[in-house]
Amino acid sequence: MVAIQGGPFLMGSRGSDPNREAFEVLHRKRIGRRFAVSATAVTRAQYRVFQEANQDDVMDVVNHPEISALARREDAPITGVMWYEAAAYCNWLSEREGIAEDQWCYDRNAEGNFGPGMRPKSNYLALLGYRLPSEAECKYSCQAGAITRRYYGHSDDLLSEYAWYNENSGNRVSSGGLKKPNDFGLFDVLGNVWTWCHNRSSQYGETEADGRDVAPVNNGELRVVHGAAFYYWARHLRSAKRNKYSPNDRVTNVGFRVARTYPLPPLPLAPSLPPKAAREHPEEPR
C-alpha cells in the first residue's frame, strides 16, 4: 500500500491532448483526505486465497480457462472479477487483517449477498477498512502531480518503460511491478488491466469535492474503470482515460486495486516560547 495525501487537482483532459475524448471534461477536483492504494493490482495468488475461503459464494475465476490463458503467472493481476466480487474481497481483507466489523466499508443486500441491492456504508470514506478507490483517487494517484497526459510526460516513445500495451504485451496480462512506477510509487496504473473504481460513472464532474457515493448498487448503473489494458494502442493510455461497465460484468481485461482512508496523524505541538519580554531581553548567561 502507498499512502497519498489528497489535495486539489484538475481532472479530465486538456484541449492540447491530441487523443482527448469529448466527455473528458476538464474540471477542478479536490480530495480532502489521506488515502492509501495498493502499489499493484490484486494478483491471482492473492485472489486465490479469498476464493478458496469463499468458494461457495464466488465463481472460480482463477482457474477459468479463458482467464488463465491470458495470465499464466500467479503474480499477474486477477481479471474477470465483477465489481460485486471486488467489494466482497475488500470486506474479506478487512476481516482477515483484524479490522473491526464496524469499520468495513460495504453492506450486503437483503438476501445477505454481494449483489444488486448491496450498498456502501453511509460513512465509508471515514472508515478504516478496505474499499475500492474512487475515480478521483485513481486519477490523482495515477497523475502523481503531473499535468501532462501521462505521469511521466507526453512521449509515446517512453511508454514501454512504464506500461504494458498493444506493442509490448504479447496480447496477455503481465506480472505486476515489472515496469517503472510513477512518482507515487504505483506500478501499472496505465495499461496491463483496467481497474474497478468505487463510484458510478454518472458522478463524473458532479461536484468539486470527491464525496461519497452511497447509493444502492444495481446492474443498471455503470461503474467506472480506469487505466486501459494490455491490448490497447498507445493513444488510449492516458491518465484521463475512463471506461464503464455494469457491476455484474465479468470482463477478462478488468482487475482491481484496493484502497483505504488513512486518518491524518495529530500535528506535533509547537515548542513553547518564553514570555515576550524574556525573548526581547534575554537573561545574561551566568
Side-chain angles (χ1 to χ4, degrees):
M1 302 292 287
V2 175
I4 298 169
Q5 176 59 58
F9 70 109
L10 288 176
M11 188 166 166
S13 59
R14 299 172 185 271
S16 57
D17 185 343
N19 303 121
R20 184 178 190 268
E21 298 183 58
F23 55 79
E24 296 170 357
V25 178
L26 193 67
H27 59 284
R28 294 186 182 277
K29 204 73 177 176
R30 177 176 50 82
I31 301 174
R33 58 185 173 275
R34 188 170 68 157
F35 63 99
V37 180
S38 54
T40 63
V42 172
T43 66
R44 292 171 53 83
Q46 291 168 332
Y47 195 82
R48 185 185 296 277
V49 179
F50 161 75
Q51 183 178 278
E52 291 174 351
N54 299 273
Q55 55 188 340
D56 294 334
D57 300 318
V58 297
M59 176 179 164
D60 181 4
V61 295
V62 176
N63 298 307
H64 188 282
E66 186 179 355
I67 294 170
S68 298
L70 288 174
R72 297 174 182 172
R73 295 182 60 103
E74 287 290 277
D75 58 356
I78 185 65
T79 61
V81 175
M82 296 190 300
W83 188 97
Y84 297 120
E85 293 165 336
Y89 180 94
C90 290
N91 268 22
W92 170 82
L93 188 58
S94 295
E95 179 180 20
R96 182 179 171 87
E97 295 200 357
I99 297 172
E101 187 171 355
D102 63 0
Q103 294 294 307
W104 302 356
C105 292
Y106 298 104
D107 283 333
R108 299 170 184 257
N109 61 18
E111 292 75 38
N113 301 319
F114 289 92
M118 65 162 287
R119 64 189 308 158
K121 291 183 178 178
S122 60
N123 60 338
Y124 73 94
L125 285 177
L127 302 180
L128 300 180
Y130 289 92
R131 56 178 173 78
L132 295 173
S134 71
E135 182 178 12
E137 288 173 335
C138 282
K139 305 290 187 187
Y140 186 86
S141 58
C142 175
Q143 291 175 206
I147 60 172
T148 48
R149 63 179 180 150
R150 301 181 181 118
Y151 43 83
Y152 64 83
H154 294 291
S155 170
D156 286 354
D157 295 336
L158 292 176
L159 184 58
S160 62
E161 297 289 323
Y162 294 88
W164 298 105
Y165 65 112
N166 176 276
E167 293 189 11
N168 66 355
S169 69
N171 203 34
R172 66 175 62 251
V173 180
S174 299
S175 300
L178 298 181
K179 295 295 185 178
K180 292 179 179 179
N182 69 4
D183 282 358
F184 282 163
L186 301 177
F187 296 87
D188 308 310
V189 283
L190 295 178
N192 212 16
V193 297
W194 291 99
T195 53
W196 283 114
C197 299
H198 170 89
N199 47 298
R200 294 166 291 170
S201 63
S202 59
Q203 284 199 313
Y204 189 75
E206 194 174 74
T207 61
E208 179 175 341
D210 182 29
R212 303 170 299 154
D213 185 355
V214 297
V217 184
N218 64 75
N219 298 339
E221 292 190 283
L222 305 182
R223 319 296 286 198
V224 182
V225 293
H226 177 262
F230 58 90
Y231 61 80
Y232 279 71
W233 294 97
R235 65 177 179 270
H236 297 292
L237 274 69
R238 302 172 295 111
S239 299
K241 182 70 175 178
R242 66 197 300 263
N243 206 343
K244 52 191 177 183
Y245 290 107
S246 171
N248 70 332
D249 281 340
R250 196 177 294 283
V251 190
T252 56
N253 63 11
V254 174
F256 68 103
R257 295 175 188 256
V258 294
R260 295 179 70 180
T261 299
Y262 271 21
L264 286 170
L267 293 173
L269 295 175
S272 58
L273 296 174
K276 182 179 179 182
R279 297 201 304 273
E280 293 175 347
H281 305 285
E283 191 174 89
E284 289 293 329
R286 295 179 180 178

